[in-house]
Amino acid sequence: MSHSTLSQPAFAEIGDDEIEKIRAFNRFYTNRIGVLDRAFMDTPYTLTEARVIYELAAHGTTSASHLTEELSLDPAYLSRLLKSFTDAGLLETTRDPADGRGRLLQLTLRGRGVATDLAQRSRQRIAALLEPISENDRCDLGAAMASVQTLLSGGKSAAASLTIRPHRIGDMGMVISSQAKAYAETYGWNGEYEALVAEICAAFIRNFDPAREHCWIAERNGTFLGSIFLVKGSSEGTAKLRLLHIDSAARGQGLGSRLVTECINFAKSAGYRRLELWTNDILVSARRIYIAAGFTLENEETHHSFGKDLTGQIWALDLTAATSGDALSA
C-alpha cells in the first residue's frame, strides 16, 4: 500500500480551508519573527542550535537523550551539534553518577553567556513586534497564542491555568454581557436584569474606593470566566457582596467558592463587621456556596422582576466570627 493511501484517512475529515489557514499562518509567523534566517537574530546560530542552547540553560544539567526527546531531534544530528558546541567551548560533559556509562551536559560559563545573549535578543525582538500594538490588543494576542498552545497540546498546557485578578478598563462590559446572556438563556430573564447589572457596574466605577471596595475577575488564557464584587453597604461596618457569576464552562471546579472566599477575606481586612447579599431562591448553586461560607438567611420576599415572579432573599455573614469562611478557605 502506498504512503499516500495510508495517509489519506487521517485528513479525510479535515477541511482543506482549515489546513491552508494554518499553513498560511505558519508562513507568516515564521517569516515575521525571523526563524528562517541562517543567522538567527543576527547571531552565528540557527534556530535549532538556539533552541538546544536554551534547553541546556533552562535545565542546568541534562542528558542528550532528554534533549532528543524534548526537541524531537534526530540523535545523530544532535550528537554532531553537541560536539560542535563542545569544540567551541560552550558545552562540557560530566559522568552521570546514576549511570557510570552515561554523560551529563551543561553549559560552560561562555555557553551561559551565549544563552543570556540569545534570550535578551529574543525579548528585544518580541518587544519590537508588540510596541506598535495597543495594550488591549496585546492582551488579546497573548490570549489567542495561549489558546493555540492549549488546543494543540490537548488542553494540557500550563498556560491554561486559572487566574483571579482585579478589574481593569473594559471588564465591566464583559460582566454585563456575560450575566445578561446567561440569565436570559437559563431563566428567561428580560432586559431589566441587564439594566440592573449595568447600573451596579456604573456605580462601582464612578464611586470606586480601592481601600473599601474590590472587583475580582476570573479568567483562563485571557478568557473571561466569572466575577464578584464587594461594595460599601448602606450602614457603617457593612459591605455588600454583589454580582457573583461563573461561566457555565467553569462551573463545578470550585471557582465560585474561591471568589466568595476572596470577597470575605477582603471584607475582613477592610474592617467590615458584616457582609450581606441579595439573591433569588432559584439560584440554587450560588446559595450552596453562601451557606458553605457561613452566610445565614435573614429575610425573603416575593417580587416581580426581570419579567418573572421571583422570591428574593437577603443573606448575611458575621465577619467578627472566627470561623467565617473557613470552610471555603481550607
Side-chain angles (χ1 to χ4, degrees):
M1 186 176 291
S2 69
H3 176 72
S4 60
T5 303
L6 283 171
S7 301
Q8 189 60 36
F11 304 130
E13 297 182 2
I14 302 176
D16 289 341
D17 188 51
E18 294 172 292
I19 294 172
E20 291 308 315
K21 284 180 180 178
I22 293 178
R23 292 185 66 206
F25 176 80
N26 287 343
R27 291 192 298 271
F28 164 79
Y29 191 64
T30 52
N31 182 63
R32 185 73 172 178
I33 62 176
V35 299
L36 301 180
D37 298 343
R38 176 59 183 86
F40 181 61
M41 292 189 295
D42 299 319
T43 71
Y45 307 102
T46 65
L47 172 63
T48 302
E49 290 169 338
R51 277 300 311 274
V52 172
I53 291 172
Y54 170 81
E55 291 297 331
L56 287 165
H59 289 288
T61 301
T62 189
S63 65
S65 60
H66 177 80
L67 288 175
T68 299
E69 181 179 355
E70 185 79 10
L71 300 176
S72 301
L73 293 175
D74 175 71
Y77 170 75
L78 178 63
S79 178
R80 292 193 298 272
L81 193 154
L82 294 176
K83 183 178 184 305
S84 71
F85 285 170
T86 302
D87 293 343
L90 305 181
L91 183 68
E92 60 186 6
T93 62
T94 57
R95 179 182 297 178
D96 185 348
D99 180 1
R101 296 176 297 176
R103 307 294 290 179
L104 295 178
L105 313 171
Q106 63 180 18
L107 293 174
T108 62
L109 180 62
R110 182 180 178 185
R112 291 194 295 272
V114 169
T116 299
D117 178 63
L118 285 168
Q120 184 175 357
R121 288 171 182 265
S122 178
R123 286 192 293 268
Q124 290 173 344
R125 176 161 292 190
I126 297 301
L129 283 174
L130 297 178
E131 194 277 331
I133 303 175
S134 69
E135 181 179 356
N136 285 341
D137 286 345
R138 290 199 299 269
C139 290
D140 291 342
L141 177 63
M145 287 182 161
S147 294
V148 169
Q149 184 178 350
T150 300
L151 290 170
L152 294 182
S153 62
K156 299 177 181 179
S157 171
S161 59
L162 174 73
T163 59
I164 297 177
R165 60 167 176 79
H167 73 284
R168 60 187 179 217
I169 291 176
D171 285 338
M172 295 303 119
M174 291 192 300
V175 170
I176 297 166
S177 176
S178 65
Q179 296 212 19
K181 290 178 181 178
Y183 286 103
E185 293 170 0
T186 306
Y187 302 106
W189 291 4
N190 63 20
E192 293 175 20
Y193 183 70
E194 184 173 9
L196 174 64
V197 177
E199 290 165 2
I200 293 172
C201 289
F204 177 79
I205 294 298
R206 288 196 190 100
N207 307 313
F208 181 50
D209 179 355
R212 305 278 284 169
E213 300 179 310
H214 202 84
C215 168
W216 292 264
I217 301 294
E219 62 183 14
R220 179 179 288 117
N221 293 339
T223 300
F224 179 84
L225 294 181
S227 59
I228 193 171
F229 292 70
L230 181 124
V231 300
K232 297 175 186 175
S234 56
S235 60
E236 184 66 25
T238 297
K240 285 187 177 182
L241 183 160
R242 309 208 73 171
L243 301 181
L244 170 65
H245 178 68
I246 306 300
D247 185 85
S248 59
R251 290 174 191 164
Q253 303 173 28
L255 179 55
S257 296
R258 285 184 60 184
L259 289 174
V260 170
T261 298
E262 293 281 355
C263 192
I264 292 171
N265 291 341
F266 182 89
K268 288 181 178 180
S269 66
Y272 290 109
R273 298 185 299 276
R274 171 185 166 90
L275 181 59
E276 62 184 31
L277 63 91
W278 178 79
T279 188
N280 287 278
D281 66 346
I282 61 172
L283 306 180
V284 178
S285 297
R287 288 194 294 113
R288 289 189 185 125
I289 294 173
Y290 302 142
I291 292 170
F295 283 84
T296 57
L297 177 63
E298 291 195 342
N299 185 44
E300 60 181 355
E301 184 177 352
T302 59
H303 64 103
H304 184 84
S305 302
F306 322 132
K308 300 290 181 179
D309 291 324
L310 301 168
T311 299
Q313 299 179 329
I314 294 177
W315 294 74
L317 176 66
D318 178 8
L319 296 174
T320 64
T323 57
S324 292
D326 286 353
L328 294 180
S329 57

